[in-house]
Structures are given as C-alpha cells and as structure tokens.
C-alpha cells in the first residue's frame, strides 16, 4: 500500500481508492487534495474522509471555503515561505 500512497501524493490525479481504503481502517482521515471548489470538497467527502483540508494556494477567493464549511469539517492550511503567505 505504501507505493500506492506515494504515487497518489506525487500525481496530480486524486487516488480516491487509497483514501477509501484508509478510511475503512478507522480513525479520522483528513484529505489535502488540492480542494479549491465546493465540487472538489464533495469529491473528497465521497471517499469517506472525515474532513477536507483547503490550502490558501488553491483558492481564488474565500467564497468557496464559506460554502464548504456549511457542509463539511474544513481545515484551512496556510503555507508560508519566508514568513509570507
């Protein structure tokens, strides 16, 4: 399974089967899958993930994250480079 996870992380395509398998093991799985739209959040939630991680670098505005928060547990990820978002 480790190889599948590494391929998933390194590819641009989501590997929803791996996420489903991890969710089936139990616990809370949060997915950082390049979520930028409500449709992306729906896709991640359909895998069984407990929550969605939304990164600042993927958002064009904060409007989609407001809508996502109405439906799912959302964690906002703020990446910094040299202390600048």
């Amino acid at each position: 399974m480790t190889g599948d996870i590494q391929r998933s992380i390194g590819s641009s395509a989501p590997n929803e089967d791996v996420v489903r398998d991890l969710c089936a093991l139990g616990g809370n799985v949060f997915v950082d899958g390049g979520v930028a739209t409500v449709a992306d959040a729906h896709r991640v939630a359909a895998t069984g993930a407990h929550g969605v991680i939304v990164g600042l670098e993927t958002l064009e505005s904060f409007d989609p994250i407001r809508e996502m928060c109405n439906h799912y547990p959302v964690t906002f990820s703020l990446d910094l480079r040299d202390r600048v978002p």
Side-chain angles (χ1 to χ4, degrees), residues 25-67:
L25 295 173
N28 294 331
V29 176
F30 288 79
V31 176
D32 185 354
V35 172
T37 66
V38 175
D40 293 337
H42 290 317
R43 176 185 47 78
V44 168
T47 66
H50 179 75
V52 177
I53 297 174
V54 180
L56 175 66
E57 70 278 3
T58 61
L59 294 175
E60 292 184 17
S61 75
F62 288 108
D63 294 331
I65 200 168
R66 287 185 187 103
E67 180 65 21

Side-chain angles (χ1 to χ4, degrees), residues 5-83:
I5 293 170
Q6 289 173 344
R7 282 194 298 274
S8 172
I9 292 170
S11 71
S12 61
N15 195 330
E16 293 158 356
D17 291 336
V18 172
V19 176
R20 281 188 192 92
D21 289 346
L22 289 170
C23 291
L25 295 173
N28 294 331
V29 176
F30 288 79
V31 176
D32 185 354
V35 172
T37 66
V38 175
D40 293 337
H42 290 317
R43 176 185 47 78
V44 168
T47 66
H50 179 75
V52 177
I53 297 174
V54 180
L56 175 66
E57 70 278 3
T58 61
L59 294 175
E60 292 184 17
S61 75
F62 288 108
D63 294 331
I65 200 168
R66 287 185 187 103
E67 180 65 21
M68 288 177 221
C69 288
N70 289 328
H71 300 283
Y72 309 108
V74 173
T75 300
F76 181 71
S77 169
L78 176 61
D79 292 333
L80 301 176
R81 177 175 285 160
D82 297 325
R83 297 184 173 165

